Amino acid sequence: MEHDILFEIGIAIGIIAAAGLLASRLRFSIVPLLILAGLAVGPHIPQFWIIDLSFINSTPLIDFMGRLGVLYLMFYLGLEFSVGRLLKASSAILKTGLIYMAINFTIGVLFPFLLGWPIKEILVTAGIMTISSSAIVAKVLVELKRAVRPETEMILGLMMFQDVFVAIYLSIVSGLVLTGSTSPEMVLKSASVALGFMIGILLLGRKLKSLLNRLLDIPSDEVFMLCLFAALIMVAGFSESIHVAEAIGALLVGLVLAETEHVERIEHLVVPFRDFFGALFFFSFGLSIDPLALPGAVWPAVIAVLLTIIGNFVSGMISGRISGYSHRASVNIGLTITSRGEFSIILAGLAEAGALSPILQSFAALYVLILAVLGPLLTKESKWIYAQLGRLFKWPPLVEKSRRKQKPNIVAESQ
């Protein structure tokens, strides 16, 4: 019944709001709390009087709003860096990004291979273990007031490289998983269609920049928003119809519109939708997980978490030192990019759509949950971690300001 669905949606949003309030009180990332909230309810929960936490009637609608959340998250990320900025910083991003990918993607492939998983599961797991969460990393940088630190530029560069990597990787893997193609010819064809679609959209967007500026010169915010979201949903839907992940279509729309003179207005309008539907996305992901199935994925997830922390730390140190950053800044880089989130969940959803091994859902849920909790903690405690490792590896000591003398005692390594 319609009123039942509305009541269930209201309860779901109430739970999400409570998770947000708790995260705010704890000064912690909201992502793991939203996933936990979804895990805590669902089909296995009995009904209490008129309060039904199983969300059986409303699950399709919650899932759909979660899909919109992915679109708005990816669209917003596309707005954050234009194609022009991407090309300008391409040399530095390419160098550090390749180092990061070489280390972490190799780990992501070898680990499921040693577990004996099939090739499609290996490819999905490699993506899950390689790609950091731009949303969590950006939120942590803002919360810890590290946006002005010099190493933050490299962290954002790595995020940009990963965003481009995930666009290509998702296209290739989605073509393989969703079409079921296994021959090299079919994989190449799927990848070519996906890459051709992406390149075509970007080139067309740059070519039509002046036209887009004129078309979007709409006084009414209401009409402006309707035109914007119509383009977003249509391109995302078309992407899905040619077996390219809908999230990639949303990212492409963001990249194209980032080139226009209306980007600030677009960001201002899209942020509330990104936050609201994005929260529903993480909640719906937790809702889709059967807690009883999680124990079977505990050890693979725990080992993968340890490998990811090591891989991210080593790649961050190498990238930072090669680029001339201090040991402390390099430690910050390695620890800040550890969190996993939306991209890993998108890949897990892709595995579900492709009817791959069910363990991937449980694995991704536990893996993302643990790293979404540990990532912000490691970033926050990076100073203490540097001090401990500094004694072991003989790194320069930290700058310690004397409150009495009001001047630094040691200046060998900046904080």
Coordinates of all heavy atoms in Angstrom, one line a residue, residues 12 34 53 72 127 165 187 189 192 195 212 234 255 283 294 308-309 366 393:
A12 N 13.1 4.9 7.3 CA 14.5 4.8 6.7 C 15.2 6.1 6.8 O 16.4 6.1 7.3 CB 14.4 4.3 5.3
L34 N 26.3 4.6 8.3 CA 25.2 4.4 7.4 C 25.1 2.9 7.0 O 24.1 2.3 6.9 CB 25.3 5.3 6.2 CG 25.0 6.8 6.4 CD1 25.3 7.6 5.2 CD2 23.6 7.0 6.8
L53 N 10.8 -2.6 10.3 CA 12.2 -2.3 9.9 C 12.7 -3.2 8.8 O 13.9 -3.2 8.5 CB 13.1 -2.3 11.1 CG 12.7 -1.3 12.2 CD1 13.7 -1.4 13.4 CD2 12.8 0.1 11.7
Y72 N 24.7 11.1 -8.4 CA 25.1 12.5 -7.9 C 26.5 12.5 -7.3 O 27.2 13.5 -7.5 CB 24.1 12.9 -6.8 CG 22.7 13.3 -7.4 CD1 21.6 12.6 -7.1 CD2 22.6 14.3 -8.3 CE1 20.3 13.0 -7.6 CE2 21.4 14.7 -8.9 CZ 20.3 14.0 -8.5 OH 19.1 14.3 -9.1
G127 N 39.7 -4.3 -8.3 CA 39.1 -2.9 -8.3 C 38.7 -2.5 -6.9 O 38.9 -1.3 -6.5
F165 N 41.1 6.3 -13.7 CA 41.3 4.8 -13.7 C 40.0 4.1 -13.5 O 39.7 3.1 -14.3 CB 42.3 4.4 -12.7 CG 42.5 2.9 -12.5 CD1 43.3 2.2 -13.4 CD2 41.8 2.2 -11.5 CE1 43.4 0.9 -13.2 CE2 41.9 0.9 -11.4 CZ 42.7 0.2 -12.3
V187 N 35.9 -8.9 -25.1 CA 36.3 -8.0 -24.1 C 36.9 -6.7 -24.8 O 36.6 -5.6 -24.4 CB 37.4 -8.6 -23.3 CG1 38.1 -7.6 -22.3 CG2 36.9 -9.8 -22.5
K189 N 36.0 -5.6 -27.7 CA 34.9 -4.9 -28.3 C 34.2 -4.1 -27.2 O 33.8 -2.9 -27.5 CB 33.9 -5.9 -29.0 CG 32.8 -5.2 -29.7 CD 31.8 -6.2 -30.3 CE 30.6 -5.6 -30.9 NZ 29.7 -6.6 -31.4
S192 N 36.3 -1.2 -26.2 CA 36.4 -0.2 -27.3 C 35.1 0.7 -27.3 O 35.2 1.9 -27.4 CB 36.6 -0.9 -28.6 OG 37.8 -1.6 -28.6
L195 N 35.3 2.9 -24.1 CA 36.3 4.0 -24.3 C 35.9 5.0 -25.4 O 36.1 6.2 -25.2 CB 37.7 3.4 -24.6 CG 38.4 2.6 -23.4 CD1 39.6 2.0 -23.9 CD2 38.6 3.6 -22.3
L212 N 27.0 25.2 -24.8 CA 26.5 24.8 -23.4 C 26.4 26.0 -22.6 O 25.5 26.1 -21.8 CB 27.5 23.8 -22.8 CG 27.4 22.3 -23.4 CD1 28.5 21.5 -22.8 CD2 26.1 21.7 -23.1
M234 N 19.6 11.1 -18.4 CA 19.6 10.5 -19.7 C 20.9 9.9 -20.1 O 21.0 8.8 -20.7 CB 19.1 11.6 -20.7 CG 17.6 11.8 -20.7 SD 17.0 12.7 -22.2 CE 17.8 14.3 -21.9
L255 N 32.3 16.0 -15.8 CA 33.5 16.5 -16.4 C 33.3 17.5 -17.5 O 34.0 18.5 -17.6 CB 34.3 15.3 -17.0 CG 35.1 14.4 -16.0 CD1 35.5 13.1 -16.7 CD2 36.3 15.1 -15.4
F283 N 23.2 3.5 2.9 CA 22.3 2.8 3.7 C 21.7 1.6 2.9 O 21.5 0.5 3.5 CB 21.1 3.8 4.1 CG 20.0 3.1 4.9 CD1 20.2 2.8 6.2 CD2 18.8 2.8 4.3 CE1 19.2 2.2 6.9 CE2 17.8 2.2 5.0 CZ 18.0 1.9 6.3
L294 N 28.0 -12.7 6.6 CA 29.3 -12.0 6.7 C 30.4 -12.9 7.3 O 31.6 -12.7 6.9 CB 29.1 -10.8 7.6 CG 28.2 -9.6 7.0 CD1 28.1 -8.5 8.0 CD2 28.9 -9.2 5.7
T308 N 46.0 -3.9 2.1 CA 45.7 -2.5 1.6 C 46.4 -1.4 2.4 O 46.9 -0.5 1.8 CB 44.1 -2.3 1.6 OG1 43.5 -3.3 0.8 CG2 43.8 -0.9 1.1
I309 N 46.4 -1.6 3.7 CA 47.1 -0.6 4.5 C 48.6 -0.5 4.2 O 49.2 0.5 4.0 CB 46.9 -0.9 6.0 CG1 45.4 -0.6 6.4 CG2 47.8 0.0 6.9 CD1 45.0 -1.1 7.8
L366 N 32.3 -5.9 4.5 CA 33.3 -6.0 5.6 C 34.5 -5.1 5.3 O 35.0 -4.4 6.2 CB 33.7 -7.4 5.9 CG 32.7 -8.2 6.8 CD1 33.2 -9.6 6.9 CD2 32.7 -7.6 8.2
F393 N 63.0 3.8 11.6 CA 63.7 4.0 10.4 C 64.6 5.2 10.4 O 65.2 5.6 9.4 CB 62.6 4.2 9.2 CG 61.8 3.0 9.0 CD1 60.5 3.0 9.3 CD2 62.4 1.9 8.3 CE1 59.7 1.8 9.1 CE2 61.6 0.8 8.0 CZ 60.3 0.7 8.4

